[in-house]
Amino acid sequence: QVQLVESGGGLVQAGGSLRLSCAASGRTFSTYTMGWFRQAPGKEREFVSAISWSGSSTYADSVKGRFTISRDNAKNTVYLQMNSLKPEDTAVYYCARAYGGSLVIRSYEYDYWGQGTQVTVSS
């Protein structure tokens, strides 16, 4: 059983930064694509960013240039560095593991999910 545990969320002013972490259990972490999604109140869960086993990454247009995803396979951890935060970035952020190693962005292409961490950006 794979477990994903997010941390690093919190309250920050607009223009500030946060770094989210997602620690994963399991020995084959390095072979899977990892992703970040978010869900704001009253909205559907949306894709934020993903990183493949090889380090290739992709971002939603709304965060491109502000967020950076990375992974440390030795620590079974994926990170999301969030800079220049905006109030519209406020959401619960979820870490997820994809079914395989391809760079995918649809939520149904991910099979394991963390519990989420709250990010609140004040104006």
Side-chain angles (χ1 to χ4, degrees):
Q1 185 73 10
V2 174
Q3 288 188 325
L4 304 175
V5 180
E6 302 99 334
S7 62
L11 173 63
V12 64
Q13 288 187 333
S17 298
L18 283 174
R19 188 194 195 202
L20 305 184
S21 299
C22 172
S25 63
R27 297 180 179 179
T28 58
F29 171 84
S30 62
T31 64
Y32 291 91
T33 288
M34 299 296 295
W36 287 96
F37 291 76
R38 67 186 182 186
Q39 187 167 19
K43 296 187 176 181
E44 293 187 353
R45 189 173 298 187
E46 65 174 1
F47 170 77
V48 175
S49 182
I51 185 166
S52 72
W53 65 271
S54 64
S56 297
S57 59
T58 187
Y59 299 89
D61 288 343
S62 58
V63 307
K64 202 171 293 183
R66 300 187 297 122
F67 291 11
T68 302
I69 192 171
S70 61
R71 66 191 299 162
D72 185 337
N73 290 333
K75 295 182 178 180
N76 278 16
T77 302
V78 61
Y79 305 97
L80 186 69
Q81 178 66 44
M82 306 186 295
N83 298 329
S84 302
L85 283 161
K86 305 175 181 180
E88 50 263 44
D89 294 318
T90 295
V92 177
Y93 283 71
Y94 297 91
C95 169
R97 194 196 79 170
Y99 282 102
S102 299
L103 204 56
V104 292
I105 68 170
R106 304 283 193 266
S107 59
Y108 62 78
E109 294 169 309
Y110 290 77
D111 55 353
Y112 289 99
W113 294 80
Q115 293 298 308
T117 185
Q118 176 70 47
V119 172
T120 303
V121 184
S122 63
S123 57

